[in-house]
């Protein structure tokens, strides 16, 4: 629906145009009326209509003067004149001052419909041009932030002009609020689609949050510019933390993963580009130390304090794990991850965490083959850890792996469950090319299917389906590397009835199609 303001000093004509024309059939909606140009201009400034339908001969300010001012200040508004005077000079004056149509009173419905159709086309063209300029402004914004506003002051002025037109602000306006939006742990969410329990084949968590951020201008008027994956700048005239909190709370997951850093007052684009490097650094520091999902409009007053205390000794953690003292493990985690960021960045915390994990694992798993196998196969632990930018995320992840170790230490080395799982794994490795069901496996070892599922996941950290798929893929990779068997036959041999489903599963696991994997293997260039 296009919005219209109707202006006429004749009460009956104004009432007829506002209330008795079937505007909805022309995809229009009257949002205000006025009986002179000055009143109309005030309403245009606040309501920003798409179309102005105005009489020419009016008191206080006539239609020609109104047209001049609207065309100069709001060039996107399409203007159609009304007049009871069928004289050539009125039409010429109207068109000369930016009108796109001219109607005689009393208005003929067919003529009005034809004019509105033409006006709609002009509105669409105007919106497309404006959208194009906003895209260009985004490119300029990225360049300004990268190079610095002082070197490109002319470019900053051009971007400011585009923002004013898009946000319907006076041309002389120079200041805006700037909001830095970041998707925390972007790489972690992008690499792990199930982080927000997305179903297989669904969008990843990162993609779903990107869609959510893209809808921000629909809630708060402004211009959204994507800087890079997981980072945006939002330019607006209505920045306050309450409004953004309300928007973000519309998505439970945005509240956890989206951080917002707002300028505390409106400022010029050049001023913001000078503050940008510090805003970016402070955002990284605060997310690293305080965790994800922050909203901060006082970041300029934050004092960066680096860690003063040394990291707690690893021997203390090893002793707590060996004795299964989970309270002491929690204390150690607090001292390590809540004691502040060491000078530099969070990558140092990652390096220290990996070193500590290796030490704990070497001490705890030295005589526990099952734990060794389980940790070594769970390569995602270090991979996920390397993607994290928050020490709180690292803390949670480390707690999970330490609990896994302590759970294993509680079990007997000759636990019957381990023997059962080993037997099941042996059956799967021997029969991976056949249809394998949980019911059949459970029947072979005299257990209920649900109980088998539980102990298998507890011991291996994987579901039965995940393990079957792993064995099938390992054998498929071997056949692709060492034989010339057709891919369709390989799919069948490793238990896939559908070659296309095999290809999809293979790509999901390796990042390559079967043909690509075979080609890389022959060249000796497998990743």
């Amino acid at each position: 629906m296009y919005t219209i303001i109707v202006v006429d000093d004749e009460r009956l004509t104004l009432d007829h145009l506002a209330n008795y024309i079937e505007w909805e059939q022309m995809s229009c909606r009257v949002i205000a009326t006025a009986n002179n140009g000055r009143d109309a201009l005030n309403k245009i400034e606040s309501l920003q209509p798409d179309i102005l339908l105005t009489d020419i001969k009016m008191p206080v300010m006539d239609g020609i003067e109104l047209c001049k001012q609207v065309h100069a200040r709001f060039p996107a508004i399409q203007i159609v004149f009304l007049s009871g005077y069928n004289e050539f000079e009125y039409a010429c004056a109207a068109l000369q001052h930016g009108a796109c149509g001219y109607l005689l009173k009393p208005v003929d419905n067919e003529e009005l419909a034809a004019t509105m159709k033409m006006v709609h086309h002009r509105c669409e063209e105007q919106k497309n041009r404006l959208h194009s300029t906003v895209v260009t402004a985004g490119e300029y914004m990225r360049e300004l932030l990268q190079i610095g506003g002082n070197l490109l002051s002319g470019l900053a002025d051009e971007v400011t002009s585009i923002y004013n037109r898009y946000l319907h602000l006076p041309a002389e306006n120079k200041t805006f609020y700037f909001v830095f939006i970041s998707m925390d742990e972007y790489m972690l969410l992008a690499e792990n689609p199930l982080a927000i329990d997305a179903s297989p084949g669904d969008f990843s968590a990162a993609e779903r949050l990107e869609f959510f951020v893209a809808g921000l201008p629909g809630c708060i008027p402004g211009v959204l510019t994507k800087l890079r994956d997981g980072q945006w700048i939002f330019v607006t005239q209505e920045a306050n933390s309450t409004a953004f909190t309300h928007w973000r709370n519309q998505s439970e997951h945005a509240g956890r993963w989206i951080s917002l850093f707002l300028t505390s007052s409106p400022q010029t684009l050049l001023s913001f580009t000078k503050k940008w490097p510090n805003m970016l650094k402070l955002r990284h520091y605060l997310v690293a130390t305080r965790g994800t999902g922050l909203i901060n409009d006082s970041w300029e007053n934050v004092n960066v304090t680096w860690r003063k205390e040394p990291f707690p000794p690893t021997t203390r953690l090893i002793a707590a794990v060996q004795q299964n003292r989970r309270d002491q493990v929690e204390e150690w985690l607090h001292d390590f991850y809540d004691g502040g960021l060491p000078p530099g960045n969070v990558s140092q915390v990652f390096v220290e965490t990996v070193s500590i994990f290796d030490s704990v694992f070497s001490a705890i798993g030295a005589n526990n083959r099952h734990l060794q196998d389980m940790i070594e196969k769970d390569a995602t632990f270090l991979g996920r850890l390397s993607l994290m930018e928050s020490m709180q995320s690292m803390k949670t992840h480390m707690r999970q792996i330490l609990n896994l170790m302590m759970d294993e230490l509680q079990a007997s080395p000759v636990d019957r469950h381990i023997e059962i799982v080993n037997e099941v794994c042996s059956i799967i490795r021997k029969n991976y090319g056949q249809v394998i069901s949980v019911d059949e496996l459970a029947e072979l070892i005299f257990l209920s299917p649900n109980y088998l599922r539980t102990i298998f996941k507890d011991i291996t950290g994987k579901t039965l389906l995940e393990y079957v798929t792993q064995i099938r893929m390992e054998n498929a990779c071997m056949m692709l590397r060492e034989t010339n068997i057709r891919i369709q036959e390989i799919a069948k041999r490793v238990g896939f009835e559908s070659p296309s489903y095999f290809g999809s599963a293979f790509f999901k696991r390796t990042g390559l199609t079967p043909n690509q994997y075979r080609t890389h293997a022959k060249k000796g260039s497998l990743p």
Side-chain angles (χ1 to χ4, degrees), residues 457-468:
K457 183 65 180 293
D458 287 343
I459 298 300
T460 67
K462 300 179 176 67
T463 66
L464 276 162
L465 178 59
E466 288 170 344
Y467 183 77
V468 170

Side-chain angles (χ1 to χ4, degrees), residues 20-21 32 37 81 83 88 101 104 113 124 172 188 248-249 313 335 344 346 359 368 378 392 416 452 471 481 497 499:
Y20 296 98
I21 299 293
F81 272 119
S83 179
F88 180 71
L104 291 177
E124 285 300 314
E172 60 272 17
L188 182 67
R248 202 182 61 165
N249 286 347
D335 292 344
V346 78
S359 298
N368 191 319
D378 189 16
Q392 294 305 309
R416 172 60 179 158
L452 175 58
I471 298 302
R481 290 193 307 267
E497 295 182 359

